[in-house]
Amino acid sequence: MSRQLKIKISVPFSFNVIFARNVFSSRDFLKNFFISPGSIEKKKVIFFIEDTVAESFPDILEKIESFDSKTKGIELVHPVFVLPGGEQNKNIKEAVKICSILSKNKICRQSIVAVVGGGAFLDTVCFAASISHRGVCQVRFPTTVVSQCDSGLGVKNAVNLFGKKNFAGVFFPPSAVINDFAFLKTLAPRDINSGLAEAIKIAVIKDSSFFSYLEKNTENIRGDNSPILEKIIVRCAKLHADHISDSGDPFEFGNAKPLDFGHWLAHKLESMSKGKMRHGEAVAVGIATDSFYAMKKGLLSKGEFERIINILKSYSLPIWTPFLGKKSKGRLSILDGIAEFREHLGGKLSITLPSGIGSKIEINKIDCKIIEDAFIYFKTISSK
Ligand SMILES: NC(=O)c1ccc[n+]([C@@H]2O[C@H](COP(=O)([O-])OP(=O)(O)OC[C@H]3O[C@@H](n4cnc5c(N)ncnc54)[C@H](O)[C@@H]3O)[C@@H](O)[C@H]2O)c1
Ligand SMILES: [Zn+2]
């Protein structure tokens, strides 16, 4: 006779995404993120800051370190750790280095890992925090457009491994996300545009009026004090947050990953470029290619397709790159991205395509000939 026990678990998560400016100038404001009401125990807080951010904001370390001594309920680990970020450092070696810092500083499950940096840095530190003691709480301070409107508020933490994007990773939600717009003022135009690729992505598949707003404002988005850029970040973050909380599948147990429109190609392209292309730039090429595919399948009209290509070009985003022409054994290497995406999803391919602007469908097969035609088309128009 066999026996079985059924174990049913449901674990609710909730966290706030706060939009603010110059949070490190106000000690009280920060206190709110680290001390829960009624808490009597001191929270140990360890800060990790991406080196580029520490260089761009030279007083940030002093501001954070001075915050400890007069604030009840918080024990800040000294010093604040400044580490390299960017895609080149989003790897297991850096993650293990961070785990070792957490171990040496006796960080426990009741402590808080606070992380300030771009998407790649957040992914690396949060992955390390998520695997230490089976998950240490994270408070994230994203400093780029991509991380403020998408990655920072996501529930996925991963590093690249075996030449594959995000191969080693876990699902672990943050405890709070603080989008401080003041960080955007030192971003290079390239990184602002790169972030807007994620906004274009989600507008194409979910929100036609947001798409029109992006079209209207191509000239109005420039760095700090751009109210338009801030509006775009808030809207884009809300669309991503709504998807995570309302899709019924925040931890992606199913095959479909609708927010990954354009990403089967983007992830492979990022790996092939060895970090030379920004995530958003690779996503832009992915959006262009998959929109061409959708047009050929009758899902987008020629006019809608052209609106998508024009908006990418208006934000100086690429629609083609020579990396797409790289071959291995007579076959375009980029096409391996389809099999890798399928493997990552769990065996069954599911690719999101736009179906008109503002809605989407999933397809389960890809005709590589149409993808190759897309590359030829974009190469030709890019060289004109
Ligand atoms: N976890 C998720 O759900 C998720 C979602 C989307 C993207 N991502 C990941 O996010 C990463 C891309 O993020 P990104 O676009 O922020 O790239 P990034 O982290 O590489 O940052 C881009 C550049 O900006 C610099 N930088 C960061 N903040 C700055 C500031 N305030 N001023 C000046 N320079 C600054 C960085 O040093 C880097 O050189 C990719 O690894 C991607 O896979 C993750
Ligand atoms: Zn992305």
Side-chain angles (χ1 to χ4, degrees):
M1 194 186 113
S2 69
R3 294 181 185 189
Q4 80 179 32
L5 294 173
K6 189 173 187 85
I7 301 178
K8 203 170 170 195
I9 302 173
S10 77
V11 185
F13 287 104
S14 76
F15 56 92
N16 292 327
V17 180
I18 293 146
F19 299 90
R21 197 171 257 283
N22 293 314
V23 289
F24 292 104
S25 301
S26 153
R27 194 174 292 135
D28 280 352
F29 194 72
L30 266 184
K31 200 168 70 178
N32 301 335
F33 305 128
F34 299 119
I35 308 175
S36 45
S39 128
I40 35 166
E41 288 192 29
K42 263 197 171 192
K43 285 262 182 218
K44 196 164 187 176
V45 179
I46 184 164
F47 261 91
F48 291 91
I49 302 198
E50 180 170 349
D51 54 3
T52 323
V53 179
E55 279 155 29
S56 306
F57 298 87
D59 57 350
I60 192 171
L61 301 185
E62 199 188 314
K63 278 183 179 163
I64 294 170
E65 287 179 351
S66 70
F67 147 75
D68 172 42
S69 53
K70 301 194 184 67
T71 309
K72 267 171 58 184
I74 295 178
E75 180 193 344
L76 185 76
V77 173
H78 285 272
V80 166
F81 289 88
V82 179
L83 298 175
E87 202 63 32
Q88 293 87 338
N89 293 297
K90 180 173 151 170
N91 56 44
I92 207 90
K93 201 170 148 218
E94 283 300 311
V96 170
K97 196 162 104 190
I98 293 157
C99 290
S100 129
I101 295 173
L102 298 180
S103 164
K104 281 189 191 126
N105 286 283
K106 311 214 177 319
I107 293 302
C108 72
R109 282 172 61 82
Q110 304 308 323
S111 312
I112 295 173
V113 170
V115 47
V116 187
F121 189 70
L122 293 182
D123 267 3
T124 313
V125 177
C126 293
F127 171 69
S130 306
I131 60 170
S132 299
H133 300 302
R134 301 199 180 99
V136 178
C137 298
Q138 308 153 12
V139 174
R140 303 181 188 158
F141 298 83
T143 60
T144 58
V145 178
V146 167
S147 55
Q148 293 200 355
C149 68
D150 179 353
S151 80
L153 51 121
V155 296
K156 299 186 270 186
N157 307 284
V159 293
N160 306 327
L161 186 63
F162 309 132
K164 292 180 181 171
K165 272 285 288 184
N166 301 329
F167 185 83
V170 294
F171 287 92
F172 193 90
S175 301
V177 182
I178 298 96
N179 278 340
D180 186 333
F181 295 131
F183 282 120
L184 306 179
K185 82 173 169 206
T186 53
L187 274 183
R190 176 185 184 191
D191 286 305
I192 295 180
N193 291 334
S194 170
L196 293 167
E198 295 286 7
I200 295 168
K201 169 203 80 180
I202 205 153
V204 170
I205 55 170
K206 277 190 177 257
D207 189 339
S208 60
S209 67
F210 185 33
F211 187 87
S212 305
Y213 185 81
L214 290 168
E215 278 181 321
K216 267 188 225 123
N217 285 292
T218 50
E219 292 305 312
N220 302 329
I221 296 162
R222 291 292 164 258
D224 190 32
N225 290 326
S226 163
I228 307 280
L229 180 61
E230 293 176 11
K231 265 194 195 157
I232 289 173
I233 289 174
V234 175
R235 181 104 165 242
C236 188
K238 174 146 177 33
L239 286 164
H240 280 94
D242 285 349
H243 177 82
I244 293 168
S245 42
D246 302 339
S247 68
D249 191 17
F251 288 0
E252 296 175 356
F253 292 119
N255 266 33
K257 287 174 68 175
L259 296 187
D260 273 359
F261 164 47
H263 279 58
W264 73 263
L265 186 147
H267 285 167
K268 183 70 188 168
L269 192 50
E270 271 185 280
S271 303
M272 285 169 63
S273 84
K274 300 201 172 11
K276 286 195 185 70
M277 286 189 86
R278 293 282 197 259
H279 179 70
E281 291 167 345
V283 169
V285 177
I287 292 173
T289 306
D290 285 358
S291 298
F292 180 95
Y293 196 98
M295 177 185 64
K296 288 291 171 193
K297 289 287 176 186
L299 297 165
L300 286 176
S301 67
K302 188 152 189 292
E304 288 168 329
F305 166 71
E306 280 169 356
R307 281 177 72 195
I308 296 172
I309 301 309
N310 286 340
I311 198 171
L312 293 170
K313 290 206 285 197
S314 320
Y315 288 110
S316 308
L317 287 162
I319 50 175
W320 182 83
T321 152
F323 289 115
L324 296 175
K326 199 173 160 237
K327 286 191 174 175
S328 166
K329 295 182 189 148
R331 184 183 140 86
L332 290 176
S333 302
I334 192 77
L335 296 175
D336 294 344
I338 299 170
E340 287 173 19
F341 196 66
R342 179 193 291 121
E343 200 180 289
H344 189 65
L345 292 173
K348 189 174 164 219
L349 187 65
S350 178
I351 289 192
T352 302
L353 290 181
S355 169
I357 289 179
S359 61
K360 59 175 175 57
I361 62 153
E362 303 292 329
I363 59 161
N364 306 110
K365 264 201 325 225
I366 274 259
D367 178 347
C368 291
K369 172 77 178 62
I370 301 178
I371 299 291
E372 291 182 30
D373 289 347
F375 297 159
I376 295 166
Y377 173 77
F378 290 124
K379 184 179 178 184
T380 312
I381 62 168
S382 299
S383 62
K384 277 185 187 155

